Amino acid sequence: MGLVFNGSNTRVDCGSGSSIDNPFATGGTVTAWVLLTAYGEFNVGRVMDKSSDASVSDGWAFFVAGAVSGDDNCLRFTHGRAVSANTWAAPTNSVTLGPIYHLAVTFDKSTDTNVPSLYVNGEVQSITTPVAGSGAYADDSAQTLSIGNRSASADRSFDGFIEDVRVYNVILTAEQIMTMFQAQGHDNLLNGLQARWLLNELSPGVSATEASSIIDMSINKNVGTPVNSPFYESSFLSKTRRILRNR
């Protein structure tokens, strides 16, 4: 089970609890399963976002990008900095419309020269820097973490399906991220887990607003609030598991 976001104004707001503030402070990881029907508003639909403005000056954004400057049809990660934000991109066509993908980023912002690692289906990607920023990395603790959009203006809506969203305050290894991909949600990667939203509270076709809260499976209980009625859909992961078993 997961949630379908409409590419217009839907999202899940997960607050700004201390356990999900600054996950990349000394090294962190965020992951999600997605299926795109389009690249979202302005071709930069958010998988996760923890910032207050479109330029991501005071937080970070984990998103898919269509036809924008630099690499197109790809996974991107932006983190705010004191002068201007940095954006890193996976190769063109690394994320296309239709297939289901497991996406991940690992990053340690404790040193200004560090760069993230981007993963698609368990494989680390080569990266480019379509936007080079400068200055110390931003503190995101005042911002709301949102799934499927940004919370401040709701103008970066994801267009498609998202499930099993996670935040860790440790950098998962390449082997662990491959294990997560291959296990299709049945791994036991608990070390450093700060939040895990399966997005599976109700039956397919039901609006998430009827759930009233989106459950965090971690010990931290960062409860999410659905906004503008994203709706539940059956998981695509069972089909993906069958494909992997038959390889």
Side-chain angles (χ1 to χ4, degrees):
M1 195 72 66
L3 282 177
V4 175
F5 297 84
N6 64 8
S8 175
N9 62 359
T10 49
R11 68 183 190 272
V12 174
D13 284 343
C14 301
S16 185
S18 59
S19 61
I20 53 175
D21 285 344
N22 293 303
F24 306 108
T26 56
T29 305
V30 299
T31 73
W33 288 91
V34 307
L35 185 152
L36 285 65
T37 54
Y39 287 98
E41 287 185 283
F42 298 98
N43 276 326
V44 284
R46 300 305 203 241
V47 179
M48 302 176 71
D49 187 288
K50 202 171 190 295
S51 66
S52 69
D53 57 38
S55 63
V56 198
S57 65
D58 53 10
W60 54 271
F62 184 52
F63 61 105
V64 292
V68 294
S69 60
D71 295 295
D72 297 337
N73 309 336
C74 66
L75 175 64
R76 290 190 175 201
F77 176 70
T78 296
H79 203 297
R81 305 185 73 162
V83 178
S84 60
N86 247 114
T87 296
W88 299 269
T92 294
N93 295 325
S94 55
V95 179
T96 57
L97 306 183
I100 188 164
Y101 292 100
H102 182 258
L103 307 179
V105 58
T106 65
F107 183 51
D108 178 354
K109 70 176 184 180
S110 63
T111 300
D112 290 348
T113 55
N114 286 348
V115 297
S117 294
L118 298 175
Y119 293 82
V120 177
N121 289 346
E123 299 284 351
V124 67
Q125 306 292 295
S126 60
I127 60 171
T128 58
T129 309
V131 181
S134 61
Y137 283 109
D139 180 344
D140 69 36
S141 59
Q143 314 311 325
T144 295
L145 191 155
S146 290
I147 299 170
N149 213 326
R150 68 184 186 95
S151 66
S153 297
D155 58 2
R156 294 293 185 271
S157 183
F158 187 85
D159 196 336
F161 175 89
I162 302 177
E163 71 176 306
D164 197 358
V165 178
R166 309 189 198 186
V167 177
Y168 292 82
N169 66 358
V170 297
I171 289 183
L172 297 183
T173 66
E175 292 77 12
Q176 288 173 316
I177 291 173
M178 179 59 76
T179 294
M180 188 184 295
F181 166 63
Q182 292 177 332
Q184 309 290 293
H186 294 279
D187 58 83
N188 192 35
L189 295 170
L190 300 178
N191 181 47
L193 181 66
Q194 300 302 298
R196 183 181 184 184
W197 299 278
L198 293 175
L199 309 180
N200 68 348
E201 289 75 18
L202 294 177
S203 301
V206 176
S207 166
T209 55
E210 296 185 32
S212 74
S213 61
I214 304 298
I215 298 169
D216 172 13
M217 302 298 293
S218 80
I219 63 172
N220 297 308
K221 306 304 180 188
N222 296 287
V223 175
T225 302
V227 179
N228 293 322
S229 303
F231 66 89
Y232 291 94
E233 185 55 87
S234 297
S235 174
F236 291 87
L237 294 186
S238 58
K239 179 180 178 181
T240 309
R241 282 195 291 271
R242 290 195 296 272
I243 292 170
L244 287 172
R245 284 198 299 268
N246 292 329
R247 282 182 175 175

